[in-house]
Amino acid sequence: MKRSWNPSLWIGFVFAILGFFSYIFFVQFPITRDFPWANLLLFAFGAIFLAVGLKRAFGKPDTYRGKIFGSIFALLGLGAFAFFSFIVFYELKQLPESKGAPRVGAKAPDFSLPNEDNEPTALANLISSKAPNGKPGAVLLIFYRGFW
Amino acid sequence: MRSFQQRLSDFDKRGIRVVAISVDSPEINKRQSQKMHYTFPLLSDADTTVIRRYDLLHAGGGPHKENISRPGEFLVDATGTVRWRNLTENIGVRARPDEVLAAFDRNVSPGD
């Protein structure tokens, strides 16, 4: 007897792969980036479908296919989830403590650095010069990793 | 950074000058600035002097193990005093413009 197709395994695998690669899209929005719930949800759907598919494949091996490729899909999905978790919950948090960074109430260390036109730009000048609207100057310093 | 450019008028209104600092060269910054239409300055701290002074050095944090800056934001008032700062614990999570504007309205503006 020809065993029937086991679509749960395929759907679960697609969800797991989507859960992984969709981070490229979701990372653009703070709401899905600060905590990656959208990706975790996709992984969860993947896990459910894969579990259902595997249960069928192993529980009724005479009726359903997928014992071998289902296991491979599940392993790949698990691997994608593990790698995703490693990156998002571990790798991205490997930051120096910066205990010596200027605290609230401390003077911001002065500096002079070239801007994109190679003109020196000093913090002291930014602060002392009045803003275009005449208000006393305030400065937001954004340190960032660079574009590479 | 794109989000700060989009909200730059709100910073202008409050007299806050936005300045971004990284290890990238002025040439890279020029290209990036033109491409992204940034109107605030991108400053180059190629030898990480200022990044070290602010204790933000992420040694070997670059894609090829270069020394770079960790993300960090500081709001400095007219007297040069830090009135708010944000040091994220996750590279993917940065301060949002709304957060900074709210901090300014709360911590800096009423006194001035």
Side-chain angles (χ1 to χ4, degrees):
Chain A
M1 192 184 82
K2 194 174 181 299
R3 291 173 301 164
S4 47
W5 199 52
N6 195 344
S8 281
L9 290 170
W10 291 88
I11 296 168
F13 184 62
V14 168
F15 267 118
I17 296 305
L18 264 179
F20 187 80
F21 286 104
S22 62
Y23 195 61
I24 298 164
F25 172 73
F26 287 128
V27 78
Q28 297 173 66
F29 312 103
I31 192 163
T32 44
R33 179 187 61 205
D34 290 3
F35 184 79
W37 57 269
N39 298 85
L40 295 181
L41 203 65
L42 289 169
F43 277 122
F45 281 133
I48 291 167
F49 278 106
L50 280 167
V52 168
L54 282 179
K55 196 162 174 266
R56 273 189 197 151
F58 282 92
K60 298 175 185 164
D62 298 333
T63 321
Y64 289 104
R65 294 193 294 188
K67 268 206 295 203
I68 291 170
F69 79 80
S71 302
I72 294 170
F73 277 5
L75 275 178
L76 287 174
L78 203 66
F81 176 67
F83 188 58
F84 178 82
S85 302
F86 171 73
I87 297 285
V88 171
F89 297 112
Y90 177 78
E91 189 77 1
L92 290 181
K93 295 192 175 169
Q94 298 309 300
L95 283 171
E97 285 192 69
S98 299
K99 282 187 175 152
R103 292 172 188 281
V104 172
K107 284 269 177 234
D110 193 26
F111 60 78
S112 179
L113 290 171
N115 68 7
E116 63 279 359
D117 293 314
N118 251 315
E119 299 156 349
T121 307
L123 178 62
N125 290 344
L126 288 169
I127 291 169
S128 62
S129 61
K130 283 216 186 300
N133 60 4
K135 286 196 180 164
V139 177
L140 174 65
L141 302 174
I142 303 176
F143 287 88
Y144 66 104
R145 291 164 56 79
F147 298 99
W148 310 100
Chain B
M1 300 259 289
R2 226 177 338 171
S3 59
F4 282 92
Q5 180 63 47
Q6 284 161 3
R7 299 294 298 278
L8 208 59
S9 62
D10 290 308
F11 286 88
D12 286 343
K13 241 181 270 168
R14 291 165 173 80
I16 309 168
R17 254 69 60 82
V18 177
V19 179
I21 301 161
S22 78
V23 293
D24 285 347
S25 67
E27 292 71 37
I28 291 176
N29 286 341
K30 179 94 187 168
R31 219 180 312 140
Q32 191 64 21
S33 188
Q34 285 173 342
K35 187 174 130 201
M36 303 299 289
H37 304 289
Y38 290 146
T39 54
F40 55 84
L42 304 181
L43 305 185
S44 167
D45 186 21
D47 60 7
T48 66
T49 308
V50 176
I51 291 164
R52 282 169 205 266
R53 203 175 291 163
Y54 278 73
D55 196 20
L56 298 174
L57 187 76
H58 187 170
H64 305 291
K65 302 284 166 213
E66 301 89 340
N67 289 340
I68 60 170
S69 177
R70 76 166 348 268
E73 297 86 16
F74 298 84
L75 195 54
V76 181
D77 72 8
T79 68
T81 307
V82 176
R83 300 294 288 268
W84 174 88
R85 71 169 194 178
N86 176 58
L87 295 171
T88 183
E89 287 175 359
N90 183 335
I91 293 168
V93 183
R94 318 285 167 80
R96 297 177 207 158
D98 281 330
E99 228 179 309
V100 182
L101 292 166
F104 180 85
D105 294 342
R106 201 170 53 234
N107 301 343
V108 188
S109 189
D112 290 320

